[in-house]
Amino acid sequence: MTANLRVGGLVPLTTLDFPDHLACVLFCQGCGWRCRYCHNPQLIPACGAQERPWEEIIDFLKQRVGLLDAVVFSGGEPTLQLALPEAIAQVRAMGFKVGLHSAGIKPRLFRQVLPLVDWVGFDIKALPEHSTLITGVEGSGQANWKSLEHLLDSGVAHECRTTVHWHLFDADRLWQMAQRLRRQGVERFVVQCVRTARMLDESLSDSRAPHDQLRLWERMGKLFPSFVLRG
């Protein structure tokens, strides 16, 4: 059986998207949310103008056997595609480890995929009660945090990360969320400062950090065993 995964983009080499591994990133087409700061809005529609045939992806990976350690399935939201498990199986059969970037949009599907991957970069959007402001979808927060529970129960290596746009967060709200994540059992937390060059919501052109951000990062560093701030 051959997968028919819809891939809207490819990064051939990265050292950032799967810790301590040389990897490539496959950007899966399609996402069920409309995050206002999304910097890959072309990946949101179920079908995209820049899709690459799965056979072409496999040919690329054959040329990278022995050169790359891993393949990362990102998006979009990869777990929305039913072809994902078979695609992962094909990649694994070639000797690659598998990373997954996901927000757990569909908790049941997310849980089904977890046993197939080696590492997860999990996107926490906000506290459940604040998530709709970011995603534009009612119930997104409940789904996001339910999938977090599945991830923490799975034992799969992971990091949790949050993209911060300061029009959508303030320091207190971010700190409240961090405390809840720690109580849930999250050990590695990454804050990613938003890239404003291209976003789905063009009205969010500026993201000016609060004056007390340094104190916030210091508190985060004490709260989590591993805390990373990415610019």
Side-chain angles (χ1 to χ4, degrees):
M1 181 177 178
T2 300
N4 191 25
L5 195 74
R6 300 188 312 279
V7 178
L10 166 70
V11 171
L13 179 65
T14 174
T15 60
L16 302 176
D17 293 274
F18 190 139
D20 303 317
H21 290 71
L22 289 176
C24 69
V25 181
L26 307 181
F27 291 97
C28 300
Q29 188 71 37
C31 185
W33 293 348
R34 300 293 183 270
C35 295
R36 296 170 62 189
Y37 51 62
C38 178
H39 65 274
N40 286 321
Q42 76 281 2
L43 294 172
I44 292 176
C47 298
Q50 305 297 321
E51 288 187 35
R52 304 178 67 162
W54 182 244
E55 293 80 6
E56 179 182 316
I57 299 297
I58 291 297
D59 288 342
F60 164 81
L61 292 177
K62 287 178 179 177
Q63 299 173 31
R64 298 303 189 274
V65 172
L67 301 176
L68 294 178
D69 304 314
V71 176
V72 176
F73 293 84
S74 188
E77 173 54 57
T79 62
L80 293 181
Q81 294 198 43
L82 297 179
L84 182 63
E86 180 60 27
I88 290 175
Q90 288 185 255
V91 167
R92 278 199 171 284
M94 299 171 74
F96 296 107
K97 290 185 177 180
V98 174
L100 174 68
H101 293 176
S102 176
I105 289 178
K106 299 290 186 183
R108 183 178 297 178
L109 293 173
F110 177 73
R111 182 175 58 183
Q112 291 174 356
V113 172
L114 282 174
L116 309 178
V117 304
D118 299 287
W119 180 83
V120 176
F122 189 76
D123 294 316
I124 292 287
K125 299 302 181 181
L127 284 168
E129 58 268 28
H130 301 149
S131 295
T132 302
L133 173 66
I134 292 172
T135 67
V137 176
E138 293 288 343
S140 57
Q142 288 73 19
N144 195 203
W145 284 74
K146 184 63 178 179
S147 289
L148 173 63
E149 292 179 18
H150 293 325
L151 176 61
L152 294 174
D153 289 343
S154 73
V156 176
H158 64 274
E159 70 177 24
C160 292
R161 63 270 189 104
T162 294
T163 298
V164 172
H165 192 300
W166 293 110
H167 287 188
L168 306 174
F169 270 99
D170 59 30
D172 287 342
R173 186 171 286 189
L174 183 59
W175 176 243
Q176 291 170 15
M177 189 186 73
Q179 290 177 295
R180 178 164 172 181
L181 289 171
R182 188 68 190 102
R183 289 195 298 269
Q184 294 277 104
V186 172
E187 296 190 354
R188 178 174 172 83
F189 183 49
V190 177
V191 169
Q192 303 176 146
C193 296
V194 71
R195 308 173 200 169
T196 58
R198 179 175 62 164
M199 294 181 291
L200 179 63
D201 185 346
E202 295 179 355
S203 71
L204 298 175
S205 59
D206 182 38
S207 178
R208 190 168 302 173
H211 68 278
D212 58 346
Q213 64 169 319
L214 293 180
R215 180 171 177 269
L216 176 62
W217 307 143
E218 290 173 359
R219 295 166 75 192
M220 293 277 198
K222 295 176 181 178
L223 180 63
F224 293 96
S226 176
F227 172 71
V228 177
L229 178 64
R230 292 186 185 139

